[in-house]
Amino acid sequence: MSTIDSKFSGVERLESSLPTRPIRFPHIRGGVLTNLRISGGAIYQDGSIQLDGSTGIDQVARIRFDGSKGTPTVADFSIETRTVVGPGGQPRPLSRPEEQSLLNTLQSELKSPHPSINQEVIRQFAGKLAQALGQPAPSTVFNGVRFGQVERAADGGLTAQLGVGVDLTGTLHVDGAGKITYAQHMVAMHPGMATPLSTSDRTSLELNLEKYIQSQDGHVNRMWNELLTDLKNQI
């Protein structure tokens, strides 16, 4: 049993079983994560999260967030590697560049999820990484919204309509300078006062809009792509 197996052997898994799927780390050249393939994962009762995978033909890896310490820090993420038939290795902390590259890749996975992968494990691990690196995790404001009509606004920007639940609608507006505001209201009522999106809400919108655009296989109003570009350019 490896060091990590021993440490967490008595902690109940809440989420597990990720099918094998390659996740690449193009930003880490020559590093241990370059050829990482995720093959499993789990969320534990104490808040710890684990990703299992391989880094080569006979090399396996386990990446771990230790959730027992409270607020995540960059020191709470570790990786253990070993050969398939060998003894467990000694866990070492992930470097900050490795953590940032891992976060970038997990966020890409969330934008274009594989239907057989447990996205909750990926989402929570990415959220802990983002928090540790000082980056707000995505909110859930735009999860499940329906992207409707988008048109050119009088100020040269864009106005877009979103379906939110059964009787709610949302109105997005991007002005000519690229500033994005949002208002949500009952279907039968006029939009209320629009307010700027928080960083977490912008990230949520970006993730869900990119997922929607990709699902349309190229048959999407080009203004949605324009809006996505505006989102990515937000500071």
Side-chain angles (χ1 to χ4, degrees):
M1 179 178 292
S2 70
T3 304
I4 291 181
D5 280 330
S6 176
K7 180 178 180 180
F8 292 94
S9 59
V11 183
E12 180 185 353
R13 291 186 180 209
L14 302 182
E15 297 280 351
S16 60
S17 186
L18 281 159
T20 300
R21 184 183 185 218
I23 294 184
R24 301 294 187 182
F25 292 79
H27 304 292
I28 309 176
R29 298 189 179 185
V32 69
L33 299 181
T34 302
N35 296 310
L36 178 67
R37 290 174 178 265
I38 298 296
S39 60
I43 299 171
Y44 289 84
Q45 195 171 38
D46 70 344
S48 297
I49 311 173
Q50 173 182 302
L51 296 175
D52 294 310
S54 63
T55 57
I57 296 176
D58 59 354
Q59 296 286 323
V60 295
R62 174 164 293 171
I63 302 174
R64 186 110 198 164
F65 161 67
D66 185 352
S68 64
K69 301 177 183 177
T71 303
T73 70
V74 292
D76 295 332
F77 298 88
S78 62
I79 183 169
E80 173 189 336
T81 58
R82 62 178 176 84
T83 61
V84 174
V85 296
Q90 185 66 32
R92 68 162 178 83
L94 285 176
S95 68
R96 194 176 184 90
E98 286 175 330
E99 290 176 344
Q100 184 62 63
S101 292
L102 176 57
L103 175 60
N104 293 343
T105 304
L106 295 181
Q107 288 177 336
S108 295
E109 166 66 22
L110 290 170
K111 292 177 183 178
S112 183
H114 192 281
S116 62
I117 286 186
N118 187 332
Q119 294 296 299
E120 186 63 16
V121 176
I122 300 294
R123 186 188 68 79
Q124 290 203 28
F125 203 105
K128 298 299 183 183
L129 268 176
Q131 188 176 356
L133 292 168
Q135 303 173 17
S139 72
T140 59
V141 168
F142 294 98
N143 289 4
V145 301
R146 300 178 303 280
F147 293 92
Q149 183 178 359
V150 58
E151 59 188 4
R152 186 68 59 192
D155 61 3
L158 298 170
T159 299
Q161 303 300 321
L162 308 179
V164 186
V166 177
D167 54 1
L168 286 176
T169 187
T171 300
L172 280 167
H173 179 68
V174 186
D175 67 18
K179 180 182 177 181
I180 301 174
T181 55
Y182 179 66
Q184 189 169 292
H185 51 93
M186 300 294 289
V187 172
M189 300 177 67
H190 293 292
M193 180 68 70
T195 58
L197 294 175
S198 67
T199 301
S200 295
D201 289 346
R202 285 202 310 268
T203 304
S204 173
L205 177 58
E206 179 185 336
L207 288 170
N208 285 283
L209 177 55
E210 189 158 17
K211 187 186 304 183
Y212 164 73
I213 291 172
Q214 292 175 348
S215 72
Q216 300 304 298
D217 295 322
H219 303 291
V220 65
N221 189 322
R222 62 179 178 80
M223 293 184 192
W224 282 122
N225 289 293
E226 184 178 335
L227 198 154
L228 180 61
T229 298
D230 287 329
L231 278 168
K232 291 179 179 292
N233 289 335
Q234 296 291 300
I235 299 176

